[in-house]
Amino acid sequence: MQLRSLLCASFAFLLLATTLVVVAVDNSTYYVPRDDILLNCGASGQASSFDGRSWTGDTGTRYAPSLNGDGFDALRKDPSVSTVPCSTARVFTSPFTYRFPLSAGRIFIRLHFDPSDYSNHAASDAFFSVTSGPYTLLHNFSAYLTADALNFAYLIREYSVNVSTGGLNLTFIPSTTHPNSYAFINGIEIVSIPDLFSSATPLLVDGDDGHIVYTIDPDQALETVYRLNVGGQAIPPIEDSGLFRSWDDDSRYIYGAAFGVSYSNDPNVTVTYPTSVPNYIAPPDVYSTARSMGPNAQVNLNYNLTWILPVDAGFYYLVRLHFCEIQYPIVKVNQRVFDIYLNNQTATEEADVIGWSAGIGIPVYKDYVVMTMGRGQMDLWVALHPDILTKPEYHDAILNGLEVFKLKNSNNSLAGLNPGARSQLYVDPRDLRKRSAKHKSEVPVIVGGVVGGFAVLLAGFCLIGMCKCQKKKMMKEGKGAVTSNGPYGLSPLSLYGNTRSAASADFNLCRYFSIAEIKAATNDFDESRLLGVGGFGKVYRGEIDGGITKVAIKRANPLSEQGVHQFQTEIEMLSKLRHNHLVSLIGYCEENCEMILVYDYMAQGTLREHLCKTQKPPLPWKQRLEICIGAARGLHYLHTGAKHTIIHRDVKATNILLDDKRVAKVSDFGLSKIGPTADKSHVSTMVKGSFGYFDPEYFRMMQLTEKSDVYSFGVVLFEVLCARPALNPMLSDEKVSLSEWALHCQKNGMLDMIIDPYLKDKIAPQSFETFVETAVRCLADTGKERPSMVDVVRNLELALQLQERAEESDSIDGGISDETVLFVGTENKDSDDRLIESSTTTSMIGKSPARQESQVLETQIER
Ligand SMILES: *[C@@H]1O[C@H](CO)[C@@H](O)[C@H](O)[C@H]1NC(C)=O
Ligand SMILES: *[C@@H]1O[C@H](CO)[C@@H](O)[C@H](O)[C@H]1NC(C)=O
Ligand SMILES: *[C@@H]1O[C@H](CO)[C@@H](O)[C@H](O)[C@H]1NC(C)=O
Ligand SMILES: *[C@@H]1O[C@H](CO)[C@@H](O)[C@H](O)[C@H]1NC(C)=O
Ligand SMILES: *[C@@H]1O[C@H](CO)[C@@H](O)[C@H](O)[C@H]1NC(C)=O
Ligand SMILES: *[C@@H]1O[C@H](CO)[C@@H](O)[C@H](O)[C@H]1NC(C)=O
Ligand SMILES: *[C@@H]1O[C@H](CO)[C@@H](O)[C@H](O)[C@H]1NC(C)=O
Ligand SMILES: *[C@@H]1O[C@H](CO)[C@@H](O)[C@H](O)[C@H]1NC(C)=O
């Protein structure tokens, strides 16, 4: 009780403090750009973007007086979308130049591309170059292919150049080698900025032991490739410190299962900029959130906290790391000391943020330059690991912000290749160094020759809700339709067609078992250990590691049609997915033509077993809510936490398993599909899944989105409430389908007639209302009307809190009237999930969700 009110108090304080920060930020102390041009291409007049910034149409603008002429089409996209600047585009079929008279100095150029069809111009036909004075910003660029590969609907590319007094010429040149090619642009931003780069003295991390300082030329041209608010939420341009930069959430770039812990500043700590770090370097929101490795020193010593950032090979990159200690008790040197690796090379040993900054709450940033060789895409690795040589107090590491800028190459170009083939020519700089050492040549001639170009590729929050492309493309489908049943997914191993070679790289993420070990674990597939049987084969209970660890062992039927290929893809997919609310794949065995998968053992079986036709005692309401919240978090992770959206496709009560502590884990990704990419808001597929849970929209349109899972989850919610199966053919026609019957009862105000009799009078009315409202919204007819999984999680948490509150005020007279108690659940959950929790943590800890919840709450209370 005491702990609880303490938590509420500190959480309330946190809320208050964040509100204060928002109020206290005096924008006049931020940088005010001299030039701030926002050009809405293809439009005329003034228009506001969703964040309130005012854009001017480029028709008849002084930057392009000839634009009234022929040949340059101003085109409107889907008229229903009216978002500035992407609802209109300027299309060029021959080269065209915008001229911006500017005063001398450094600027950001932001180019907005919405790869959509414009009238008779197909999105996929646009290939073009963009130059700015002597610099090539883009070459043979296809916004369509790029957005598709990144899974973004919309692209913003940010460049920084130093303009001389002549101003800036920005030229769009359609490719001459592609038929029907054209160039297009939706919006151009020109913002003058202070000197962010030339005072930097980055260390060149090139595999040599002693790092030399790399000199950033004052005329360097750069492209921003990544700008991440590590451990925090995306920061939109208007909340930046005057430069209108976008800061993204970092969670999607974290490697593997180890997400560390994200947190924000102690309420007593205010971010205070020293003179060496002007406040325009990064806004306080960046420094006041961080990611660290976690509370367990032993775990931390065994992993690297790693971000993987795909980049174009063949360029130098400036990597800027932002640090700030923001929580007690870390206030002194040698408390938290760590190593920083870039591309597997040591960038800094014994990094000590307090040592650099001289105090808690004081920001500091460090610059490094790494070189990459070859052509095509490669990954830039940024990794942190505790350094124990100096015997620090904590074995941990921290990072608050991460920026990556591409430097122009010796051809004055920042342009990479379109995505597609990965670089075959990628050369590890260390090999080069070894080679050159052999040949007794000099130190690689790098330093002088390369002067700046930075390329930035941004996409993210500012795009949400904007510019949803409507293009449809049929996807080839894999094997025939199957429904699955039973624990651990007895469905055939399926399917999202990656190649074996791609899969093999991930195999080291999970463990290999010999057939002898598997036989020992299952007592030679003793039938008394059978947990279930399905199309795929049989699932056995087993013990490994000398009986310590219980596992579920899924053995493919040797006669099953499923090939090695599907087996590999399942391993590839599952081994990458780690989450507290997903059943984990522990390992696999592929020997003697056997294909065997080893999973965590879920002692309490399926959720379904606890609901109906069971000897098990009925679950109390609170526990049911906890199970639903866990499963919803697992699905939310599938939808957003991995590199690609993953759609489960077979969400149902038998695929939600419970471990010995009744923690819910989503299982059976056998039917899962990688979700839609940028130009497709859905994937078209054969309808698969289980009767009773089908999304009607998916059924009608054969178009799968993550909202299909939301629908099925809505059915599960009613199953939990009513303790009856999704389909019961024994009942009269109108009652066969639970989803239809429940919606009918809800409309007619008779839901209380069909709820689990055990629950009668045990559910607090507000909790019931919140729960039913959520379930009904999940069952909305079209995906658009359904909530996202994260909303479902929040609403279910609210339902749980309302229940707890009611139960407490029942037992403790008067109860707790402080509304903040309602947030405590969220806080608690986050600390439980720690290491494994991913984007969920980030999105749940952040301040705005809390605020939203408080609004929801207020409406609830008013009612
Ligand atoms: C500061 O904020 C006020 C009100 O929010 C606004 O009117 C003003 O233009 C802002 N100033 C700058 C320099 O952004
Ligand atoms: C822009 O182009 C015009 C016409 O080609 C040229 O006169 C002018 O010098 C250019 N300005 C810059 C800054 O390159
Ligand atoms: C821009 O270039 C000029 C001339 O090279 C240099 O003097 C100036 O410092 C540069 N400005 C910035 C912000 O880098
Ligand atoms: C924060 O400040 C308050 C008031 O000065 C003080 O009571 C509290 O102990 C401080 N908390 C920490 C963690 O220092
Ligand atoms: C870093 O090491 C990992 C694993 O050891 C490897 O997969 C990756 O390609 C390396 N990255 C670079 C940029 O060398
Ligand atoms: C962390 O990364 C460095 C550099 O790639 C590597 O040498 C080290 O083995 C890694 N440590 C762990 C525990 O993975
Ligand atoms: C620079 O351009 C030349 C000629 O187009 C080309 O051969 C060379 O590979 C380019 N260099 C780089 C680093 O892209
Ligand atoms: C332009 O990019 C496309 C797609 O990557 C590629 O197929 C084509 O060969 C490229 N064209 C040129 C001229 O480089």
Side-chain angles (χ1 to χ4, degrees), residues 36 294 366 371-373 473 533 595 612 627 715 763:
D36 182 11
K366 293 284 164 187
M371 68 171 185
T372 63
M373 311 203 53
K473 210 184 194 178
V533 185
M595 291 181 289
C612 38
I627 290 167
V715 180
I763 309 181

Side-chain angles (χ1 to χ4, degrees), residues 362-383:
I362 303 176
V364 59
Y365 65 94
K366 293 284 164 187
D367 291 323
Y368 303 92
V369 166
V370 291
M371 68 171 185
T372 63
M373 311 203 53
R375 290 279 274 162
Q377 290 251 297
M378 63 166 285
D379 289 330
L380 179 71
W381 287 53
V382 177

Side-chain angles (χ1 to χ4, degrees), residues 343-344 378-379 381 426 428 430:
N343 276 350
N344 298 343
M378 63 166 285
D379 289 330
W381 287 53
Y426 171 66
D428 188 322
R430 281 165 298 185

Side-chain angles (χ1 to χ4, degrees), residues 115 244 253 467 539 632 649 655 751:
F244 300 106
Y253 301 105
C467 314
V539 179
R649 289 221 286 182
N655 279 340
L751 247 192

